Amino acid sequence: MLSELSDWFWQERLWFPEGLGWADLEDRDGRVYAKARDLWVALPIALVFLIIRQIFERTVATPLASLLGVKETVRLRAPHNPTLESFYCSVTKNPTQSSVWSLCKQTGCSERQVQRWFRRRRNQDRPSLLKKFREASWRFTFYLLAFIAGLAALIDKPWLYELKEMWQGFPVLTLLPSQYWYYMIELGFYGSLLFSVASDVKRKDFKEQMVHHVATILLISFSWCVNYIRAGTLIMLVHDSSDYFLEVNVEFNVLHFLEVSI
């Protein structure tokens, strides 16, 4: 059934003008075209990004944070209490008044002690300002460098200035080395974000963030498979041109919060 669905989805009449097909995208006469199997290259690139990120955060982002006065937050840890910990993990992090009274009876603690325990336990789960700053610095650096590299790769291309050129000759569009690496690096980076999401700062829009990463990976992969390369590089360039401003805003928010708390 899956094979039949795949055959239907990739049938040539859905993706090509009359007279053209997948055979026209086979490499020949020195002309190279995008192929779905090329996407596997993004996996080792994603792993390399994870390693580079760890090195960057320790050798660049952390000293920069220290220079700007952003330090690791020292928080009081909640004392070990299996009953309260079980309630915190399985029921809610913010117990109601009736739940507090019930927990007081179970643990023999006073109402104030239970409330203090939950307050400290919530603070333990809050990400430190240093962690937020390091993550934002890493993303800012990538988006900025990706934007500069993408602009350098597209600056001499006619479809950057005239959108009609973007579809000239489609779908038989030759793949350039700069386009290949721009795609693989972007895909590898978003793959690394997906791999590290469990250890990153858990934001309020965690689910939306997951959907964004998965959708981005699918869209990049899809545009590669159907040879929307020129359009894809332009879209990635536009996104990179704004994303690093968002990360700068996160860094400034961290610094502003630090000033207010001081």
Side-chain angles (χ1 to χ4, degrees), residues 25 27 32-36 38 173-175 223-227 229:
L25 297 183
D27 297 347
V32 180
Y33 301 95
K35 303 174 189 63
D38 296 335
L173 301 176
T174 305
L175 178 66
S223 67
W224 176 268
C225 292
V226 297
N227 215 22
I229 306 299

Side-chain angles (χ1 to χ4, degrees), residues 97 100-101 104 108-118:
Q97 188 61 46
V100 170
W101 291 336
C104 289
C109 298
S110 67
E111 179 180 334
R112 186 171 182 178
Q113 287 175 323
V114 171
Q115 292 173 339
R116 184 188 300 119
W117 188 95
F118 275 93

Side-chain angles (χ1 to χ4, degrees), residues 3 7 19 22 31 44 63-64 69 78 81 98 107-108 112 117 136 141 145 147 166 208 214 220 224 247 249 254:
S3 177
D7 291 341
W22 295 112
R31 296 169 66 88
L64 178 61
N81 190 311
S98 59
T107 59
R112 186 171 182 178
W117 188 95
T141 302
L145 294 178
F147 171 67
M166 186 167 58
E208 291 82 359
V214 172
I220 292 176
W224 176 268
E247 300 306 329
N249 185 56
V254 170

